[in-house]
Structures are given as structure tokens and as C-alpha cells.
Amino acid sequence: VSTPLQKPIRLDRLLANCGVASRSEADVMLRRGRVRVGTEIIRTGATKVSAAEVLTVTVDQEPLDRPFGVSVLLHKPVGYACSHDASEAPTVDELLPELWLRRNPRPEWAGRLDRETSGLLLITDDHQLIHRVTSPRHHVEKFYEVTLGEPLVDLVSAQTMFESGSLPLDGDTKPCLPAQLLATSEPCRVDVVLREGRYHQVRKMIAAVGGHVEALHRTRFGEWELPGDLAPGNWVDTQ
Ligand code: URA
């Protein structure tokens, strides 16, 4: 629910969306008179609130956090796993407000990054949006900055292989879709533009042209760009 609500929403559902309480806990809160719409105490979870009223809902006099949904750009640092499994700590969940882990629907990342990859992660509770931008049918463009162990021996033929649409991927039967390998002013730095997102794809593509990735950083994902001044571990709301 990242876009303003089209239809009025039940109060108990709104509280669960925002992570304040499960729907049954919300009923207890409501009965105790802790929830207001504007100045009025509301005691029944089935009460519907309009988009305008949502902004006036308070629990214990506190407004709700992001009542229309979560949609943020996170600068994922190296070393953090895209996982909800605490045994894989540190995880990106630890970089987000704890309240968000209780939201329903829960915010998730669109297009995971390897633990050793840094950069842009779109995190949203709009699961339709996640589906749209990660669906293999939609070919959403991703932009990666790659640091190589050594310069590629033959950059021009590597570029041709990237663009060919026939570059094989280790462990995969289907070749990669055409992609771009762009030179920069530094011989150990290249940029890669992909329109798909397979497991370890950039690392495997670079390996397939005889190179080795030392560091990988995503700066763009579809229409979203990592703000240049966003420090690793920080996030900002999307516009
Ligand atoms: N390609 C990779 O190899 N790793 C990532 O994290 C993203 C793309």
C-alpha cells in the first residue's frame, strides 16, 4: 500500500499494516480506548477510515508510521545478507526499523544482492511492485560498478560476448540476455548493465570472460538510483 489508499480501510487492518499490532491485538488496543481517529476514540476494528482520516489516526497519541506503506532505497553495505534468517547475521533487516519487521505486509527487497555486494536495494511492502520489477518478463535494467582483480586481457572481445546474447553462465542451461560491459577510465573498473537478475550473475559473467570480481556495487535498479550522498547502512524514502 505505497500509494494512497483508493478505498477506506478497516482500522484493525491499518494497525496491522503499520506493525502496531496483529489484528487480534489491535482489537484489545481499540477496546482500551488507545486508538483515535482525529480527536475521537474509536473502539471497533471494523470501523473504516478514508485516506484523509488515515493521517489523523493515533495510538497512545502517536501518529502511525508510514500509513500508506514503506518504500525506501537502502545503501546495503558489504557483509550484510538479504535474508530474514537471524542465523545469517548480519542481515539487512538489522538496518531497518524494528517496527517494520512486524508490518503486514512486510517490507521486502526487490532483487537481492549477494552478501559481498554493496549498493542499491529497493525495499517496499508493495509486493505487486516487487513482482513487476523482478519478473523475468519485464527486463528491468540494473547498473553495476565492478572492480576487477586484474584488467581484462581482451576487453573488446569480452564486450562482444556480453552483447551477443549467447554468453554461457556456469551452472545454467540458458545463455545470458544481451548485456553491456562498459570501460571506465580505470583499467580495473568496468560497468555492467543487465536486464535480468540471476544468481551471482555479474560475478559469473565476468568469470566467463576470464576476469575476477573483487568488488561489486549496484547504483541503479530500474527507475531508482542510489543517492550519491547516502552512506552505507542508511536508507531514504523513495519520492
Ligand atoms: N550479480 C552478482 O553476481 N551479485 C549480485 O549481488 C548482483 C548481481
Side-chain angles (χ1 to χ4, degrees), residues 76 112-118 144 194 197-204 213 216 218:
K76 178 187 143 357
R112 79 180 51 229
L113 292 175
D114 299 336
R115 185 188 282 275
E116 295 317 317
T117 303
S118 59
Y144 294 90
L194 298 185
R198 298 196 227 167
Y199 182 62
H200 284 171
Q201 184 163 356
V202 173
R203 294 172 201 276
K204 286 182 177 178
V213 172
L216 186 57
R218 181 158 72 192

Side-chain angles (χ1 to χ4, degrees), residues 35-136:
V35 182
R36 288 173 201 240
V37 179
T39 53
E40 194 184 347
I41 294 178
I42 304 292
R43 294 184 192 269
T44 46
T47 305
K48 291 203 169 171
V49 282
S50 68
E53 286 171 328
V54 161
L55 293 170
T56 72
V57 173
T58 56
V59 176
D60 300 334
Q61 331 270 311
E62 291 289 329
L64 298 175
D65 173 48
R66 294 173 174 73
F68 298 123
V70 166
S71 184
V72 299
L73 305 178
L74 171 73
H75 185 163
K76 178 187 143 357
V78 167
Y80 282 74
C82 286
S83 165
H84 296 310
D85 180 353
S87 72
E88 291 191 49
T91 68
V92 297
D93 282 346
E94 296 167 36
L95 302 168
L96 303 170
E98 224 184 297
L99 178 69
W100 293 3
L101 305 181
R102 295 196 295 276
R103 288 183 72 106
N104 182 13
R106 181 171 167 160
E108 300 282 351
W109 44 85
R112 79 180 51 229
L113 292 175
D114 299 336
R115 185 188 282 275
E116 295 317 317
T117 303
S118 59
L120 178 62
L121 262 188
L122 169 68
I123 295 187
T124 175
D125 58 6
D126 182 343
H127 290 219
Q128 276 181 355
L129 172 67
I130 294 180
H131 181 71
R132 201 163 66 240
V133 296
T134 56
S135 155

Side-chain angles (χ1 to χ4, degrees), residues 120-176:
L120 178 62
L121 262 188
L122 169 68
I123 295 187
T124 175
D125 58 6
D126 182 343
H127 290 219
Q128 276 181 355
L129 172 67
I130 294 180
H131 181 71
R132 201 163 66 240
V133 296
T134 56
S135 155
R137 280 185 295 127
H138 286 107
H139 305 308
V140 165
E141 196 168 88
K142 295 125 203 157
F143 192 98
Y144 294 90
E145 295 177 355
V146 185
T147 307
L148 302 166
E150 310 251 317
L152 290 170
V153 175
D154 186 349
L155 177 68
V156 174
S157 56
Q159 288 174 317
T160 308
M161 286 171 78
F162 266 58
E163 280 158 21
S164 69
S166 58
L167 185 73
L169 265 200
D170 188 23
D172 239 332
T173 45
K174 251 178 45 186
C176 298

